[in-house]
Amino acid sequence: MGQEVFYITFFPFIYWNINPYVARRLMIMWSVVMYIGQISKDLLKWPRPCSPPVVKLEKRTIAEYGMPSTHAMASTAISFTFVIATMNLYKYRIELGLMGAFVFSTLVGLSRIYTGMHTVLDVIVGSLISGLLVALMYPTWDFLDHLMLTSPWCPVFCIVVPLLLCYNYPKLDYYTPTRADTTVILGASAGTMIGFWINNHYKANYSAAVVSSLSVTAEMVLIALSRFLVGICFLVVTRQIAKGMALRALCSWYKVSVDDPIAKLRIEIEVPYKFITYSSIGLSAAVLVPLLHEILGLN
């Protein structure tokens, strides 16, 4: 969890196979919580646990700062938002849902301590911040959802505001992947929310319905898996095409080589190419993949 593979599979699965209503709330909370977590790291600049004595089992994010744990923040926000968003839609014991959310977020937090990437304090603070944000934003979910689906300014807001946040990300003395990861998160969220807006205006008005009972059949499982596999294949192709085109266009504009790894880290290249790539993925997941499902008869 916490890597691109998880997000590019989990959120689309929820949207395609569970409930668009739930997916919208998850996207709102994920983008807000992750942005606050990412920017907090680079403002606080608390180092990760020292090695030795800690043995670090993960290398990709070793250059990032540690406080707070964004994995703990994401797992807390996603699991508890999922439970809160579904408790009035599906009939199940809320105690079991909350227990499952607590166990899931705890296991993710413990895994970050085990891999040597965070201290116990990093994980606890991350979980508390995330829980506080969920509690504060819960009363605004319906308002934000309505605004996202109906406001004519939604597409403009979803492009301009995330780009401003990415370009004005805190500057550090050395490069870390936090700015790139933040751009990926905000780009994917922007594309997905624009897709929700398009669906509401031009395709279908998704609304939540209470499900009193749900019997899962083998046919339903097969259709869900088919929808998921078709959608993921489409998103992988979209990612490759969007990334290649955006990177080549930007490198050509700034007269640098596409194969130059240092040039790709420059803010004027990294931010727009990441944003274009992942907003394209989000838009495809929300609009194009459901259309493909209809064409293939997978509804």
Side-chain angles (χ1 to χ4, degrees):
M1 185 184 176
Q3 305 298 336
E4 178 186 346
V5 174
F6 173 80
Y7 296 130
I8 207 173
T9 54
F10 175 77
F11 290 118
F13 182 86
I14 297 296
Y15 183 69
W16 300 330
N17 292 315
I18 304 297
N19 196 311
Y21 169 91
V22 176
R24 294 197 300 268
R25 279 147 181 74
L26 285 171
M27 288 302 299
I28 290 172
M29 287 309 308
W30 175 61
S31 57
V32 171
V33 165
M34 288 301 290
Y35 176 76
I36 291 175
Q38 293 285 84
I39 201 171
S40 296
K41 283 184 177 182
D42 290 338
L43 290 175
L44 294 174
K45 298 183 179 180
W46 284 26
R48 292 189 182 274
C50 295
S51 177
V54 171
V55 177
K56 296 187 177 180
L57 304 179
E58 184 179 312
K59 303 300 181 183
R60 179 184 175 273
T61 57
I62 200 169
E64 294 182 7
Y65 292 106
M67 172 65 81
S69 168
T70 47
H71 280 76
M73 292 182 70
S75 61
T76 301
I78 289 172
S79 57
F80 282 94
T81 297
F82 183 84
V83 172
I84 295 170
T86 58
M87 64 183 182
N88 293 323
L89 300 179
Y90 303 98
K91 300 298 183 181
Y92 64 89
R93 291 181 61 184
I94 186 63
E95 298 87 355
L96 293 178
L98 292 174
M99 185 182 300
F102 176 78
V103 170
F104 175 75
S105 56
T106 300
L107 288 175
V108 172
L110 290 175
S111 73
R112 301 308 291 165
I113 298 171
Y114 174 77
T115 55
M117 302 309 295
H118 289 288
T119 65
V120 175
L121 184 60
D122 295 342
V123 172
I124 292 175
V125 171
S127 298
L128 290 176
I129 292 174
S130 187
L132 179 62
L133 289 172
V134 171
L136 290 175
M137 291 193 64
Y138 170 66
T140 70
W141 282 1
D142 289 338
F143 171 75
L144 292 176
D145 189 57
H146 177 75
L147 204 62
M148 178 173 62
L149 294 178
T150 61
S151 173
W153 294 102
C154 174
V156 177
F157 178 89
C158 288
I159 294 173
V160 174
V161 173
L163 281 175
L164 286 174
L165 293 175
C166 293
Y167 275 112
N168 290 280
Y169 196 82
K171 293 180 173 61
L172 300 176
D173 297 331
Y174 61 94
Y175 180 84
T176 71
T178 48
R179 186 184 66 204
D181 291 344
T182 303
T183 306
V184 167
I185 292 164
L186 295 183
S189 301
T192 306
M193 291 175 185
I194 292 173
F196 295 156
W197 183 86
I198 292 173
N199 285 336
N200 185 65
H201 282 77
Y202 302 107
K203 184 174 178 288
N205 186 12
Y206 292 113
S207 60
V210 177
V211 179
S212 58
S213 63
L214 180 65
S215 67
V216 178
T217 64
E219 183 182 5
M220 289 173 60
V221 173
L222 184 60
I223 291 176
L225 288 175
S226 300
R227 287 159 64 92
F228 178 71
L229 292 175
V230 168
I232 290 300
C233 290
F234 189 89
L235 294 187
V236 170
V237 173
T238 300
R239 179 185 183 277
Q240 294 304 111
I241 293 174
K243 179 180 178 180
M245 292 178 64
L247 195 54
R248 285 183 174 82
L250 288 163
C251 289
S252 174
W253 178 265
Y254 290 104
K255 296 178 173 57
V256 295
S257 172
V258 178
D259 300 320
D260 184 355
I262 304 300
K264 294 178 184 179
L265 303 182
R266 291 164 50 179
I267 187 171
E268 65 270 21
I269 294 178
E270 183 180 61
V271 168
Y273 113 72
K274 291 278 188 182
F275 191 87
I276 291 170
T277 300
Y278 289 92
S279 60
S280 299
I281 292 174
L283 186 63
S284 297
V287 179
L288 299 183
V289 172
L291 287 175
L292 182 60
H293 288 159
E294 287 186 8
I295 292 172
L296 297 177
L298 294 175
N299 283 340

